[in-house]
């Protein structure tokens, strides 16, 4: 069964059945950690936002536990700090869903909504979940900037927007104008691995969001 073809809504059901491996992992996590969220993690932020940030997938003990993208994941520390710095978030990020943090003109979603074993969704799972990403963009009438965190997020956006891969190759810092109004910005994923190894520094990450802010100001 393919969610790509069938996703009529932007948020999968709590018991979304499409990916057998992810369903089995979810069941096992519900048994071992009944207090965790353990369901497709819904997007966070207002539909009217002009910016959409696309991550990879919930982390087991982060977003899958808390129920909000990047929340409780190591990657969330840098992401939420950077969003706040550029005026896309208000409040204090407390690594929990009820910390009162609000996104301003920004929304966050993941290319794959369910936590995958070993943090690695399969190509089939990425493709299957793509229908939900397409639905997210459809329900965001003002979107003008998309930040893809990593290659999987980038490729998912490229599929969603029906772009030719050769026309929009992934590269950190790349900008792809995908329509008169919309620009796709690429960044390395703000994962612990990438930041610990220096693949992505906080300055490199900030530079991406500075350009996003500048683009939104130009088109305001
Ligand atoms: N947490 C998320 O929600 N998404 C990611 O891509 C990484 C961590």
């Amino acid at each position: 069964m393919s969610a790509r073809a069938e996703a009529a809504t932007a948020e999968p059901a709590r018991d979304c059945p499409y990916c057998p491996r992810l369903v089995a992992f979810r069941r096992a996590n519900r048994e071992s950690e009944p207090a965790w969220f353990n369901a497709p993690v819904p997007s966070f932020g207002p539909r009217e936002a002009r910016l959409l940030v696309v991550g990879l997938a919930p982390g087991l003990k982060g977003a899958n536990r808390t129920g909000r993208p990047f929340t409780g994941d190591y990657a969330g520390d840098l992401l939420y700090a950077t969003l706040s710095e550029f005026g896309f978030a208000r409040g204090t990020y407390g690594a929990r869903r009820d910390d009162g943090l609000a996104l301003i003109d920004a929304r966050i979603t993941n290319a794959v909504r369910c936590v995958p074993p070993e943090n690695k969704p399969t190509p089939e799972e990425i493709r299957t979940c793509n229908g939900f990403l397409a639905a997210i963009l459809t329900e965001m009438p003002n979107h003008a900037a998309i930040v893809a965190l990593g290659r999987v997020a980038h490729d998912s956006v490229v599929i969603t927007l029906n772009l030719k891969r050769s026309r929009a190759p992934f590269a950190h810092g790349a900008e792809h104008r995908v329509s008169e109004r919309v620009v796709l910005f690429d960044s390395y994923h703000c994962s612990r691995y990438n930041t610990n190894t220096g693949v992505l520094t906080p300055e490199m990450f900030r530079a991406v969001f500075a350009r996003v802010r500048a683009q939104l100001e130009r088109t305001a």
Side-chain angles (χ1 to χ4, degrees), residues 17 40 44 77 79 81 86 99 125 143-145 156-158 165 175 181 188 219:
F44 174 40
D77 294 352
L79 177 61
F86 287 92
D99 58 11
E125 289 158 359
H143 75 272
S156 293
V157 172
V158 164
R165 262 179 202 235
E175 289 181 26
R181 180 171 57 106
Y188 290 137
T219 56

Side-chain angles (χ1 to χ4, degrees), residues 55-59 63 69-70 73 75 110 189:
L56 169 59
F70 287 89
D73 281 306
N110 279 310
H189 193 285

Side-chain angles (χ1 to χ4, degrees), residues 36-37 41 44 57-81 92-99 101 108 110 115 119 189-192:
W36 289 5
F37 187 74
V41 174
F44 174 40
L60 177 62
K61 296 179 183 168
N64 173 67
R65 175 178 56 83
T66 62
R68 196 175 70 181
F70 287 89
T71 300
D73 281 306
Y74 183 88
D77 294 352
L78 179 57
L79 177 61
Y80 285 113
T92 304
Y93 169 66
R96 38 190 302 157
R97 198 160 40 136
D98 61 358
D99 58 11
L101 187 81
I108 307 176
N110 279 310
V115 57
N119 265 331
H189 193 285
C190 47
S191 64
R192 186 200 300 257

